[in-house]
Amino acid sequence: MKRLFLLISLLVLSKFSAQTWATEDQYIQRFAQYAVEEMEKYKIPASITLAQGLLETGGGQSRLALEGKNHFGIKCKEDWTGKTMAHTDDAPNECFRVYDDPKQSYEDHSIFLATRKYYTKLFDLDMKDYKAWAHGLKKAGYATNPRYASILIGKIEKYKLYEFDDVNSKEVLYAVLKKYPGLQEDRQFMAQLEPAKEKKKTIAPTPKTQSQPKVYALAPEKKERVKTRTEILNSILIKSHPNGGLKYIVIPEDTDVQFIAKKFKISESKLIKWNELEGNVLAKNEIIFLESKNSAGNTATYKAEYGEDMYDIAQKFGIKLNKLYAKNRMDEGQKPSSGQLIYLIDKKPRN
C-alpha cells in the first residue's frame, strides 16, 4: 500500500513539474513575437522583455496576468488614467494597471522604461548584452528582489532567449518554430506563418523577348501598400536627445496632444507644459518632449537659420524656452536674425 501511495505521489509531482515546464515554454511561444516587435521599436533586448514577462507572470499564470493582462507588474503611478485593480505585492492592495490585451502591456512596459529617468542609462548599453541589462534594471530599482538580475539571466540562459535578440519581427515566428518543432502540429500557430509563406513564393521567370532599347526611365513595378494615418501614428518611436538623454518624439503626421498623451500614458497638461505649447494641434515633423526639458544645452552656441524662431531652437536643443530667452538677453517673442549667434549654455556677454 505504501509503495502504491509513493508511486501515485511521484506521478502527481512529475505531472505538476511537467505542467510548470510546459507553461513557461508556452509563454515563450505565445509572446516572443511581442518582445521582438518591442525590441525593434524601443531598442530593449527581446530576451530581457521575455525573461521579465516569464518571471513577473509565473509563466503567464499570475493573477495580474490572467485578470489584468498585466505582464510586468507595473503599478498605477500618478500618471495612469486607465483601468486598475488592487493586488497585494510589496504592500497590501496596491494599485496595478489593467490592460485590454497583453500586447498593450508589452508596449506599456517599453514606454515605461523608455520615458523614465531612472532607466535612461540602460539605453546606453549594448542591446545584445542581456547581463548588463539585467543588472541595470536591478540597479535602477525595477524590482526589490536582491536576486532579480541573476533570476532574469538564469531564465534567459535556460531557454536561450538571447537567440531572439538576433531576429527581427519577420523572422521571429520561424525562430520559435525552430526552437519548438512540435508546433508544426499546432494549426493555430502554423496559420500565423501563412502570410510569410506567401511572400516567399517565387514566380517562374518569363522568357526574354527582343525589345527596342529604352530611352526613358521606368517606374518601379512593385507598389508598396501606403500606410494609413493611424498606422503611421502608432509607429512613432521614442528617441534619446543628445542633451542629457531627454526622451522625445518627432510627429510623423498631423495629430493632437490628446492622441500623444494617450499613446505614451502622459497627461495632456504635462505635455503642454513641457513643450510650451499654445494649443492642442501638433504638426508633422514637430519635436515633442516626453519629459521636462533642460535649463541649458549640450553645446555652447548655435547660429540661427533663416526662418527659425526661439521656440524652434529651444525644441531642437531640448532647452526651456524662458531660459533660452534669458541666456540671450532677449525679450519673450523676440525673433533671432538669420546667422545670429544663440547662446545655449552660458549667458550672452554684455556688449
Side-chain angles (χ1 to χ4, degrees):
M1 188 69 181
K2 286 182 178 179
R3 286 182 179 179
L4 179 62
F5 178 77
L6 180 61
L7 179 61
I8 292 171
S9 299
L10 288 170
L11 286 170
V12 170
L13 285 171
S14 64
K15 183 180 179 182
F16 278 119
S17 297
Q19 285 176 337
T20 301
W21 179 84
T23 297
E24 295 213 320
D25 279 324
Q26 288 165 4
Y27 186 93
I28 295 166
Q29 294 164 14
R30 173 71 179 81
F31 297 110
Q33 184 174 8
Y34 292 171
V36 171
E37 288 172 354
E38 294 304 307
M39 176 175 68
E40 288 185 340
K41 289 190 290 184
Y42 296 95
K43 311 304 179 188
I44 299 168
S47 58
I48 285 290
T49 302
L50 264 180
Q52 284 190 284
L54 278 172
L55 176 57
E56 296 289 344
T57 66
Q61 303 305 303
S62 72
R63 177 172 173 258
L64 280 176
L66 295 174
E67 296 180 24
K69 308 292 190 295
N70 187 332
H71 283 233
F72 298 94
I74 297 181
K75 297 175 184 178
C76 296
K77 305 294 181 183
E78 70 283 349
D79 56 352
W80 179 249
T81 57
K83 291 183 282 189
T84 66
M85 65 182 285
H87 179 73
T88 299
D89 188 45
D90 296 324
N93 295 321
E94 291 183 280
C95 182
F96 284 84
R97 302 182 181 190
V98 170
Y99 307 95
D100 295 327
D101 182 88
K103 189 175 179 69
Q104 293 178 349
S105 178
Y106 268 73
E107 180 166 26
D108 195 35
H109 167 260
S110 300
I111 293 171
F112 187 84
L113 293 182
T115 59
R116 280 168 167 72
K117 286 191 174 181
Y118 327 113
Y119 306 114
T120 299
K121 291 183 178 179
L122 288 174
F123 295 88
D124 294 330
L125 301 173
D126 183 344
M127 200 170 68
K128 294 185 180 181
D129 190 348
Y130 62 86
K131 291 182 179 179
W133 272 80
H135 288 291
L137 281 166
K138 176 65 188 80
K139 188 176 180 180
Y142 189 93
T144 55
N145 187 338
R147 295 187 58 250
Y148 189 75
S150 60
I151 294 172
L152 288 184
I153 293 168
K155 289 197 178 293
I156 289 170
E157 294 181 344
K158 176 180 179 181
Y159 295 108
K160 298 182 179 178
L161 301 182
Y162 47 77
E163 293 175 351
F164 292 112
D165 295 339
D166 292 319
V167 300
N168 59 44
S169 56
K170 294 179 181 178
E171 302 167 337
V172 60
L173 292 179
Y174 292 100
V176 171
L177 184 60
K178 182 180 178 182
K179 196 176 191 65
Y180 300 102
L183 286 172
Q184 293 182 44
E185 306 301 321
D186 187 323
R187 289 183 180 179
Q188 187 175 355
F189 179 85
M190 293 304 292
Q192 297 178 73
L193 294 176
E194 290 306 312
K197 285 181 180 179
E198 289 296 324
K199 291 178 184 177
K200 289 190 172 185
K201 285 183 179 178
T202 56
I203 300 171
T206 55
K208 291 183 179 180
T209 58
Q210 294 290 333
S211 61
Q212 295 297 320
K214 296 292 188 296
V215 293
Y216 55 87
L218 290 172
E221 292 181 8
K222 185 179 178 182
K223 292 184 178 179
E224 295 289 341
R225 184 179 71 84
V226 178
K227 288 186 177 181
T228 65
R229 178 176 176 275
T230 302
E231 287 175 326
I232 292 171
L233 288 171
N234 283 331
S235 64
I236 298 174
L237 299 180
I238 295 177
K239 301 175 183 290
S240 183
H241 198 280
N243 187 4
L246 294 171
K247 301 303 175 187
Y248 75 98
I249 59 173
V250 177
I251 303 298
E253 288 287 335
D254 293 352
T255 185
D256 54 37
V257 173
Q258 185 180 17
F259 177 86
I260 300 300
K262 185 176 180 181
K263 177 174 176 60
F264 294 102
K265 313 296 188 299
I266 301 171
S267 70
E268 292 179 46
S269 60
K270 283 184 177 179
L271 283 175
I272 290 171
K273 180 182 177 182
W274 292 339
N275 292 280
E276 297 126 348
L277 298 171
E278 295 181 351
N280 290 316
V281 177
L282 299 176
K284 183 178 179 178
N285 294 328
E286 193 167 348
I287 294 171
I288 295 296
F289 285 88
L290 304 180
E291 57 185 308
S292 180
K293 292 184 289 183
N294 292 330
S295 297
N298 63 318
T299 187
T301 58
Y302 168 74
K303 282 188 178 181
E305 295 179 0
Y306 176 78
E308 277 188 323
D309 58 25
M310 293 298 276
Y311 179 77
D312 296 331
I313 297 170
Q315 291 300 97
K316 182 181 283 187
F317 289 97
I319 306 171
K320 293 174 182 175
L321 183 56
N322 63 332
K323 299 291 185 183
L324 189 62
Y325 276 124
K327 288 179 190 300
N328 290 277
R329 305 183 189 276
M330 294 171 66
D331 296 327
E332 187 176 338
Q334 186 178 348
K335 292 186 178 181
S337 57
S338 178
Q340 180 178 332
L341 194 64
I342 302 298
Y343 288 79
L344 306 176
I345 298 177
D346 299 322
K347 202 163 188 176
K348 178 184 176 180
R350 292 185 182 276
N351 292 334

mmCIF file of all heavy atoms in Angstrom, residues 102-125:
data_model
loop_
_atom_site.group_PDB
_atom_site.id
_atom_site.type_symbol
_atom_site.label_atom_id
_atom_site.label_comp_id
_atom_site.label_asym_id
_atom_site.label_seq_id
_atom_site.Cartn_x
_atom_site.Cartn_y
_atom_site.Cartn_z
ATOM 1 N N PRO A 102 -2.728 41.642 -23.740
ATOM 2 C CA PRO A 102 -1.317 41.541 -23.340
ATOM 3 C C PRO A 102 -0.380 42.385 -24.201
ATOM 4 O O PRO A 102 0.644 42.864 -23.724
ATOM 5 C CB PRO A 102 -1.011 40.050 -23.501
ATOM 6 C CG PRO A 102 -2.327 39.370 -23.346
ATOM 7 C CD PRO A 102 -3.336 40.310 -23.947
ATOM 8 N N LYS A 103 -0.717 42.573 -25.474
ATOM 9 C CA LYS A 103 0.117 43.376 -26.365
ATOM 10 C C LYS A 103 0.254 44.801 -25.841
ATOM 11 O O LYS A 103 1.321 45.421 -25.931
ATOM 12 C CB LYS A 103 -0.464 43.380 -27.777
ATOM 13 C CG LYS A 103 0.449 44.003 -28.832
ATOM 14 C CD LYS A 103 -0.151 43.864 -30.213
ATOM 15 C CE LYS A 103 0.731 44.509 -31.272
ATOM 16 N NZ LYS A 103 1.996 43.778 -31.468
ATOM 17 N N GLN A 104 -0.847 45.330 -25.272
ATOM 18 C CA GLN A 104 -0.808 46.664 -24.679
ATOM 19 C C GLN A 104 0.152 46.688 -23.499
ATOM 20 O O GLN A 104 0.865 47.667 -23.279
ATOM 21 C CB GLN A 104 -2.203 47.087 -24.216
ATOM 22 C CG GLN A 104 -3.190 47.311 -25.338
ATOM 23 C CD GLN A 104 -4.573 47.676 -24.805
ATOM 24 O OE1 GLN A 104 -4.846 47.569 -23.612
ATOM 25 N NE2 GLN A 104 -5.449 48.106 -25.695
ATOM 26 N N SER A 105 0.164 45.601 -22.725
ATOM 27 C CA SER A 105 1.067 45.509 -21.575
ATOM 28 C C SER A 105 2.515 45.520 -22.037
ATOM 29 O O SER A 105 3.373 46.169 -21.420
ATOM 30 C CB SER A 105 0.780 44.222 -20.787
ATOM 31 O OG SER A 105 1.670 44.089 -19.702
ATOM 32 N N TYR A 106 2.802 44.815 -23.128
ATOM 33 C CA TYR A 106 4.172 44.790 -23.651
ATOM 34 C C TYR A 106 4.613 46.174 -24.110
ATOM 35 O O TYR A 106 5.732 46.605 -23.831
ATOM 36 C CB TYR A 106 4.272 43.776 -24.797
ATOM 37 C CG TYR A 106 4.697 42.399 -24.323
ATOM 38 C CD1 TYR A 106 3.807 41.585 -23.617
ATOM 39 C CD2 TYR A 106 5.976 41.924 -24.543
ATOM 40 C CE1 TYR A 106 4.197 40.331 -23.158
ATOM 41 C CE2 TYR A 106 6.381 40.676 -24.091
ATOM 42 C CZ TYR A 106 5.484 39.885 -23.393
ATOM 43 O OH TYR A 106 5.883 38.649 -22.926
ATOM 44 N N GLU A 107 3.738 46.881 -24.808
ATOM 45 C CA GLU A 107 4.121 48.217 -25.277
ATOM 46 C C GLU A 107 4.250 49.185 -24.100
ATOM 47 O O GLU A 107 5.163 50.007 -24.071
ATOM 48 C CB GLU A 107 3.120 48.768 -26.288
ATOM 49 C CG GLU A 107 3.533 50.145 -26.774
ATOM 50 C CD GLU A 107 2.806 50.631 -27.996
ATOM 51 O OE1 GLU A 107 1.668 50.193 -28.217
ATOM 52 O OE2 GLU A 107 3.368 51.463 -28.723
ATOM 53 N N ASP A 108 3.354 49.061 -23.130
ATOM 54 C CA ASP A 108 3.415 49.962 -21.976
ATOM 55 C C ASP A 108 4.699 49.729 -21.182
ATOM 56 O O ASP A 108 5.289 50.658 -20.631
ATOM 57 C CB ASP A 108 2.192 49.756 -21.074
ATOM 58 C CG ASP A 108 2.014 50.883 -20.075
ATOM 59 O OD1 ASP A 108 2.306 52.043 -20.415
ATOM 60 O OD2 ASP A 108 1.576 50.607 -18.937
ATOM 61 N N HIS A 109 5.150 48.491 -21.126
ATOM 62 C CA HIS A 109 6.413 48.162 -20.469
ATOM 63 C C HIS A 109 7.566 48.882 -21.163
ATOM 64 O O HIS A 109 8.440 49.468 -20.514
ATOM 65 C CB HIS A 109 6.620 46.646 -20.504
ATOM 66 C CG HIS A 109 7.994 46.191 -20.135
ATOM 67 N ND1 HIS A 109 8.934 45.839 -21.082
ATOM 68 C CD2 HIS A 109 8.607 46.046 -18.926
ATOM 69 C CE1 HIS A 109 10.057 45.475 -20.474
ATOM 70 N NE2 HIS A 109 9.892 45.600 -19.173
ATOM 71 N N SER A 110 7.553 48.870 -22.500
ATOM 72 C CA SER A 110 8.597 49.562 -23.266
ATOM 73 C C SER A 110 8.568 51.064 -23.007
ATOM 74 O O SER A 110 9.604 51.694 -22.762
ATOM 75 C CB SER A 110 8.420 49.296 -24.758
ATOM 76 O OG SER A 110 8.508 47.927 -25.043
ATOM 77 N N ILE A 111 7.364 51.631 -23.060
ATOM 78 C CA ILE A 111 7.209 53.072 -22.827
ATOM 79 C C ILE A 111 7.630 53.425 -21.415
ATOM 80 O O ILE A 111 8.284 54.445 -21.170
ATOM 81 C CB ILE A 111 5.744 53.495 -23.081
ATOM 82 C CG1 ILE A 111 5.409 53.336 -24.570
ATOM 83 C CG2 ILE A 111 5.500 54.934 -22.636
ATOM 84 C CD1 ILE A 111 3.947 53.515 -24.891
ATOM 85 N N PHE A 112 7.287 52.566 -20.468
ATOM 86 C CA PHE A 112 7.632 52.779 -19.053
ATOM 87 C C PHE A 112 9.145 52.898 -18.889
ATOM 88 O O PHE A 112 9.643 53.801 -18.209
ATOM 89 C CB PHE A 112 7.088 51.613 -18.224
ATOM 90 C CG PHE A 112 7.229 51.781 -16.733
ATOM 91 C CD1 PHE A 112 6.287 52.497 -16.014
ATOM 92 C CD2 PHE A 112 8.293 51.207 -16.043
ATOM 93 C CE1 PHE A 112 6.415 52.654 -14.645
ATOM 94 C CE2 PHE A 112 8.422 51.366 -14.687
ATOM 95 C CZ PHE A 112 7.480 52.084 -13.979
ATOM 96 N N LEU A 113 9.888 52.010 -19.528
ATOM 97 C CA LEU A 113 11.353 52.043 -19.426
ATOM 98 C C LEU A 113 11.935 53.213 -20.214
ATOM 99 O O LEU A 113 12.888 53.864 -19.775
ATOM 100 C CB LEU A 113 11.956 50.738 -19.943
ATOM 101 C CG LEU A 113 11.671 49.463 -19.145
ATOM 102 C CD1 LEU A 113 12.391 48.273 -19.776
ATOM 103 C CD2 LEU A 113 12.088 49.602 -17.686
ATOM 104 N N ALA A 114 11.357 53.485 -21.380
ATOM 105 C CA ALA A 114 11.936 54.488 -22.279
ATOM 106 C C ALA A 114 11.680 55.925 -21.841
ATOM 107 O O ALA A 114 12.392 56.837 -22.258
ATOM 108 C CB ALA A 114 11.399 54.286 -23.690
ATOM 109 N N THR A 115 10.677 56.139 -20.981
ATOM 110 C CA THR A 115 10.308 57.519 -20.644
ATOM 111 C C THR A 115 10.632 57.924 -19.209
ATOM 112 O O THR A 115 10.361 59.064 -18.823
ATOM 113 C CB THR A 115 8.803 57.750 -20.883
ATOM 114 O OG1 THR A 115 8.049 56.827 -20.084
ATOM 115 C CG2 THR A 115 8.449 57.563 -22.342
ATOM 116 N N ARG A 116 11.200 57.018 -18.422
ATOM 117 C CA ARG A 116 11.516 57.366 -17.038
ATOM 118 C C ARG A 116 13.022 57.512 -16.839
ATOM 119 O O ARG A 116 13.790 56.683 -17.289
ATOM 120 C CB ARG A 116 10.933 56.330 -16.078
ATOM 121 C CG ARG A 116 9.442 56.587 -15.843
ATOM 122 C CD ARG A 116 8.744 55.459 -15.147
ATOM 123 N NE ARG A 116 7.436 55.900 -14.691
ATOM 124 C CZ ARG A 116 6.396 56.141 -15.490
ATOM 125 N NH1 ARG A 116 6.535 55.972 -16.778
ATOM 126 N NH2 ARG A 116 5.239 56.545 -15.000
ATOM 127 N N LYS A 117 13.381 58.575 -16.133
ATOM 128 C CA LYS A 117 14.806 58.919 -15.994
ATOM 129 C C LYS A 117 15.616 57.835 -15.297
ATOM 130 O O LYS A 117 16.807 57.700 -15.546
ATOM 131 C CB LYS A 117 14.945 60.244 -15.244
ATOM 132 C CG LYS A 117 14.562 61.454 -16.079
ATOM 133 C CD LYS A 117 14.962 62.755 -15.421
ATOM 134 C CE LYS A 117 14.715 63.942 -16.334
ATOM 135 N NZ LYS A 117 15.107 65.226 -15.733
ATOM 136 N N TYR A 118 14.972 57.061 -14.412
ATOM 137 C CA TYR A 118 15.730 56.024 -13.696
ATOM 138 C C TYR A 118 16.366 55.041 -14.666
ATOM 139 O O TYR A 118 17.395 54.420 -14.359
ATOM 140 C CB TYR A 118 14.822 55.226 -12.737
ATOM 141 C CG TYR A 118 13.705 55.999 -12.108
ATOM 142 C CD1 TYR A 118 12.378 55.738 -12.419
ATOM 143 C CD2 TYR A 118 13.973 57.017 -11.187
ATOM 144 C CE1 TYR A 118 11.339 56.455 -11.840
ATOM 145 C CE2 TYR A 118 12.944 57.729 -10.610
ATOM 146 C CZ TYR A 118 11.632 57.450 -10.939
ATOM 147 O OH TYR A 118 10.613 58.169 -10.373
ATOM 148 N N TYR A 119 15.740 54.851 -15.820
ATOM 149 C CA TYR A 119 16.193 53.820 -16.752
ATOM 150 C C TYR A 119 16.976 54.379 -17.937
ATOM 151 O O TYR A 119 17.314 53.629 -18.859
ATOM 152 C CB TYR A 119 14.986 53.018 -17.250
ATOM 153 C CG TYR A 119 14.150 52.458 -16.126
ATOM 154 C CD1 TYR A 119 12.841 52.901 -15.909
ATOM 155 C CD2 TYR A 119 14.663 51.504 -15.251
ATOM 156 C CE1 TYR A 119 12.082 52.404 -14.863
ATOM 157 C CE2 TYR A 119 13.914 50.998 -14.203
ATOM 158 C CZ TYR A 119 12.611 51.455 -14.015
ATOM 159 O OH TYR A 119 11.869 50.966 -12.980
ATOM 160 N N THR A 120 17.267 55.671 -17.927
ATOM 161 C CA THR A 120 17.960 56.311 -19.058
ATOM 162 C C THR A 120 19.271 55.606 -19.401
ATOM 163 O O THR A 120 19.581 55.372 -20.579
ATOM 164 C CB THR A 120 18.239 57.791 -18.744
ATOM 165 O OG1 THR A 120 17.004 58.465 -18.534
ATOM 166 C CG2 THR A 120 18.979 58.462 -19.883
ATOM 167 N N LYS A 121 20.055 55.242 -18.398
ATOM 168 C CA LYS A 121 21.376 54.653 -18.642
ATOM 169 C C LYS A 121 21.293 53.277 -19.296
ATOM 170 O O LYS A 121 22.260 52.817 -19.906
ATOM 171 C CB LYS A 121 22.165 54.578 -17.333
ATOM 172 C CG LYS A 121 22.575 55.947 -16.795
ATOM 173 C CD LYS A 121 23.422 55.823 -15.541
ATOM 174 C CE LYS A 121 23.860 57.197 -15.035
ATOM 175 N NZ LYS A 121 24.657 57.111 -13.809
ATOM 176 N N LEU A 122 20.155 52.623 -19.172
ATOM 177 C CA LEU A 122 20.007 51.316 -19.800
ATOM 178 C C LEU A 122 20.197 51.404 -21.309
ATOM 179 O O LEU A 122 20.766 50.510 -21.936
ATOM 180 C CB LEU A 122 18.611 50.740 -19.511
ATOM 181 C CG LEU A 122 18.323 50.246 -18.096
ATOM 182 C CD1 LEU A 122 16.860 49.856 -17.967
ATOM 183 C CD2 LEU A 122 19.211 49.063 -17.733
ATOM 184 N N PHE A 123 19.722 52.514 -21.888
ATOM 185 C CA PHE A 123 19.738 52.642 -23.334
ATOM 186 C C PHE A 123 21.120 53.019 -23.883
ATOM 187 O O PHE A 123 21.295 53.147 -25.089
ATOM 188 C CB PHE A 123 18.661 53.629 -23.768
ATOM 189 C CG PHE A 123 17.274 53.121 -23.464
ATOM 190 C CD1 PHE A 123 16.681 53.369 -22.236
ATOM 191 C CD2 PHE A 123 16.593 52.356 -24.390
ATOM 192 C CE1 PHE A 123 15.418 52.879 -21.939
ATOM 193 C CE2 PHE A 123 15.334 51.861 -24.107
ATOM 194 C CZ PHE A 123 14.738 52.117 -22.879
ATOM 195 N N ASP A 124 22.091 53.166 -22.975
ATOM 196 C CA ASP A 124 23.482 53.348 -23.390
ATOM 197 C C ASP A 124 24.196 52.000 -23.510
ATOM 198 O O ASP A 124 25.301 51.920 -24.034
ATOM 199 C CB ASP A 124 24.239 54.215 -22.380
ATOM 200 C CG ASP A 124 23.719 55.648 -22.341
ATOM 201 O OD1 ASP A 124 23.230 56.120 -23.382
ATOM 202 O OD2 ASP A 124 23.791 56.277 -21.268
ATOM 203 N N LEU A 125 23.535 50.945 -23.027
ATOM 204 C CA LEU A 125 24.140 49.608 -23.029
ATOM 205 C C LEU A 125 23.997 48.946 -24.395
ATOM 206 O O LEU A 125 23.120 49.292 -25.184
ATOM 207 C CB LEU A 125 23.464 48.729 -21.968
ATOM 208 C CG LEU A 125 23.530 49.214 -20.520
ATOM 209 C CD1 LEU A 125 22.660 48.329 -19.630
ATOM 210 C CD2 LEU A 125 24.971 49.204 -20.013
#
